[in-house]
């Protein structure tokens, strides 16, 4: 198990040129013994047990001569073992890839076939021995790479984004080659005088800064309008800032209009004041209220003596 200071096993590259030279190079009969010297090998595996038995027992020495005999002995046992899963592929006459695939697996004797559980995969390329990363490690690395690339993409797209009140959000388009050709083919009648390099750099540097400031001011104004757009100014002066407006007293009172009479014209030749019509002065007669019954007319009696009898 790797400690804190040691790298993970799938990031280790191990090689031992002197050992490869001692065993006569890496080939089919020596690849497992060369792998047994690497830090990936487990000393408690069946490979170590069979090797020690054959090394000290002359009757089992033939097992170490060929890889087929060595692996045949391992297949008769149960437990942890290292076995060649794939040999180098031939790319031509006497030529091959030189890549050996070794599996770390546990064998359990079952009928009709043994149960195999693969724990790790190693490959030998020339004199170098590597541990193949797991599928989880590969997916994790790919996800980190994609996330980092997307982060850079979003930052680049945000720098190319512009905003204006009339158009809204838009992105700067890269200058195309056709536009450059069209500018070259334009008439040179109205061509301005050549500018110095300093003026070009100053104008080019001011434009992006000014456009960025205008965009920020427009966004800030639009935000204030959306937040405090319902607050309007009255006739009285208003103090404070948006969201904290206060009406201040002006200290002035509305003056009544002057009701003085116009000046009289005392000149004899001038027009005299018009007298109001008498008809207008008369009040209107009050209308008679209709009643349901008409008044009874009575005859006046003459004053006289009482009649006497003759």
């Amino acid at each position: 198990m790797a400690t804190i200071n040691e790298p993970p096993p799938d990031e280790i590259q191990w090689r031992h040129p002197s050992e490869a030279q001692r065993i006569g190079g890496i080939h089919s009969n020596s690849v497992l013994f060369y792998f047994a010297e690497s830090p990936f090998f487990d000393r408690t595996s069946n490979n170590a047990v069979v090797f020690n038995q054959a090394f000290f027992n002359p009757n089992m020495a033939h097992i170490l001569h060929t890889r087929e005999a060595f692996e045949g002995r391992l297949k008769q046992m149960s437990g942890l073992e290292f076995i060649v899963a794939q040999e180098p592929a031939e790319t031509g006459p006497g030529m091959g890839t030189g890549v050996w695939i070794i599996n770390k697996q546990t064998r359990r004797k079952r009928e009709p076939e043994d149960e195999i559980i693969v724990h790790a995969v190693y490959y030998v390329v020339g004199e170098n021995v590597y541990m193949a990363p797991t599928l989880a490690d590969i997916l994790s690395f790919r996800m980190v790479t994609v996330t980092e690339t997307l982060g850079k993409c979003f930052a680049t797209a945000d720098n190319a984004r512009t905003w204006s009140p009339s158009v809204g959000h838009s992105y700067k388009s890269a200058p195309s080659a056709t536009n450059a050709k069209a500018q070259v083919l334009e008439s040179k009648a109205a061509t301005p005088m050549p500018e110095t390099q300093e003026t070009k750099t100053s104008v080019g540097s001011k434009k992006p800064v000014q456009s960025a400031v205008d965009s920020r001011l427009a966004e800030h104004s639009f935000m204030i309008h959306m937040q405090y757009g319902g607050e309007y100014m009255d006739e009285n002066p208003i103090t404070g800032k948006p969201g904290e407006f206060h009406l201040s007293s002006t200290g002035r009172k509305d003056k009544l209009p002057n009701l003085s009479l116009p000046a009289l014209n005392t000149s004899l030749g001038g027009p005299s004041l018009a007298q109001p019509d008498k008809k207008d002065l008369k009040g209107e007669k009050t209308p008679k209220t209709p009643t349901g019954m008409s008044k009874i007319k009575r005859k006046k009696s003459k004053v006289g003596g009482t009649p006497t009898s003759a």
Side-chain angles (χ1 to χ4, degrees), residues 21-41:
Q21 185 177 4
R22 186 187 67 83
I23 61 179
I26 300 174
H27 47 82
S28 177
N29 296 330
S30 63
V31 61
L32 289 178
F33 303 131
Y34 179 75
F35 179 81
E37 300 296 330
S38 68
F40 307 109
F41 185 74

Side-chain angles (χ1 to χ4, degrees), residues 133-246:
T134 61
L135 180 61
D137 294 338
I138 296 175
L139 293 178
S140 177
F141 175 76
R142 295 297 182 185
M143 291 178 66
V144 171
T145 304
V146 171
T147 304
E148 184 179 359
T149 306
L150 286 177
K152 295 179 180 179
C153 177
F154 291 151
T156 305
D158 187 66
N159 294 332
R161 181 174 59 88
T162 59
W163 185 88
S164 62
S166 59
V167 180
H169 291 281
S170 61
Y171 292 89
K172 301 176 183 178
S173 58
S176 59
T178 57
N179 295 336
K181 292 181 180 179
Q183 292 178 0
V184 173
L185 296 177
E186 287 181 355
S187 176
K188 298 182 180 180
T191 303
M193 296 298 293
E195 299 178 355
T196 60
Q197 188 67 21
E198 296 180 357
T199 57
K200 290 182 179 179
T201 54
S202 62
V203 173
S205 61
K206 288 180 180 179
K207 284 183 179 179
V209 175
Q210 186 65 25
S211 61
V213 172
D214 294 341
S215 300
R216 293 298 298 170
L217 289 176
E219 289 186 16
H220 185 66
S221 302
F222 184 72
M223 182 185 65
I224 293 177
H225 169 72
M226 294 298 295
Q227 189 173 4
Y228 309 109
E231 300 180 4
Y232 298 95
M233 295 181 63
D234 202 352
E235 294 180 357
N236 296 331
I238 297 178
T239 60
K241 59 183 180 179
E244 297 180 0
F245 287 136
H246 303 285

Side-chain angles (χ1 to χ4, degrees), residues 29 33 50-56 60-67 69-70:
N29 296 330
F33 303 131
V50 173
F51 179 80
N52 292 331
Q53 290 177 354
F55 186 78
F56 294 102
M60 298 178 61
H62 65 280
I63 297 177
L64 303 179
H65 294 168
T66 60
R67 181 171 63 87
F70 188 80

